[in-house]
Amino acid sequence: MSVTDTSQNETLEVGPENLKMSFSSTSGQLKRMTNYRTRVKDLDVELESTKQKSKQNLQQAILIERERVTQMQWDMEELRRKYLEMESKLKFEQDERIHSELVKVSAIHEELLVQELDVAKEQLNNLQKHQEELEMKSKADIKLLIKEVKHAGLESFRRGLSKVKFLKW
């Protein structure tokens, strides 16, 4: 029985001259069995070794995919958060635009009301002037009427007086 250590391949071969078993020096797993006389490898051992490697590769691939899915979930959550943030900003900007439009409309409406008020004040001033003119004319007419009544009354009084004097005679 002989034991051979091949450091470069990291394998350990054990067995008599024609029949060797190769083990991995790092994991200790059987890698192959070889019959050097017939040069036939033990396919079962190689198949098992391949299965183990495939299983490890599959587990590693599954782990990598899980990490990718987890990262995608984090990315999706980040995108969802950014979407909600953008939607909130957009809503705020729309509200600001609506508010500024309402302020503009209110300012225009206020300006129109001020103009209407100015027109109404002008009409009121014109009516007041017209009323003052009519009052002055009315006062003048009343004075004239009073003069006429006084004058007519005096005339009437004089005529009446002259009739009385005439009658007395």
Side-chain angles (χ1 to χ4, degrees):
M1 173 165 295
S2 70
V3 175
T4 310
D5 184 14
T6 56
S7 302
Q8 32 189 241
N9 293 343
E10 296 182 2
T11 60
L12 179 66
E13 290 185 350
V14 178
E17 298 172 22
N18 293 333
L19 186 61
K20 300 281 182 188
M21 294 172 51
S22 298
F23 293 93
S24 168
S25 60
T26 56
S27 68
Q29 290 184 346
L30 177 65
K31 286 184 155 186
R32 80 179 88 129
M33 287 177 56
T34 308
N35 186 339
Y36 286 104
R37 192 170 7 145
T38 60
R39 297 277 190 211
V40 176
K41 294 182 181 178
D42 187 345
L43 295 177
D44 285 339
V45 173
E46 192 173 325
L47 180 62
E48 187 62 33
S49 175
T50 305
K51 279 184 183 178
Q52 287 296 326
K53 286 181 185 177
S54 296
K55 188 176 180 181
Q56 288 173 351
N57 289 343
L58 183 60
Q59 287 174 344
Q60 190 173 6
I62 288 171
L63 182 64
I64 290 170
E65 284 302 311
R66 281 185 181 155
E67 288 174 1
R68 289 171 78 194
V69 166
T70 301
Q71 185 61 43
M72 284 176 48
Q73 288 173 336
W74 280 106
D75 292 346
M76 288 294 291
E77 191 60 35
E78 179 68 16
L79 288 172
R80 186 176 293 116
R81 185 189 62 76
K82 286 181 180 180
Y83 169 77
L84 292 173
E85 187 178 298
M86 294 288 282
E87 188 176 46
S88 175
K89 284 180 183 178
L90 179 63
K91 177 77 169 135
F92 178 76
E93 289 173 2
Q94 286 175 341
D95 289 346
E96 284 293 313
R97 269 189 254 135
I98 289 171
H99 177 71
S100 68
E101 289 296 321
L102 287 175
V103 167
K104 286 178 187 177
V105 168
S106 295
I108 291 170
H109 189 260
E110 182 180 354
E111 189 176 318
L112 289 174
L113 289 175
V114 167
Q115 288 176 355
E116 287 180 20
L117 182 62
D118 289 343
V119 168
K121 283 180 182 178
E122 186 66 32
Q123 287 176 346
L124 179 63
N125 286 338
N126 290 340
L127 288 174
Q128 285 175 338
K129 286 179 185 177
H130 185 66
Q131 180 184 2
E132 288 172 5
E133 289 173 1
L134 289 176
E135 284 179 357
M136 288 175 47
K137 185 177 177 192
S138 177
K139 286 180 183 178
D141 287 346
I142 290 173
K143 285 181 183 177
L144 182 63
L145 185 60
I146 289 174
K147 282 184 184 179
E148 287 180 5
V149 167
K150 280 184 180 178
H151 183 59
L154 279 175
E155 274 303 307
S156 205
F157 179 69
R158 284 186 193 153
R159 269 190 244 138
L161 202 61
S162 56
K163 283 185 185 178
V164 170
K165 282 183 186 177
F166 180 70
L167 290 173
K168 275 188 183 178
W169 298 55

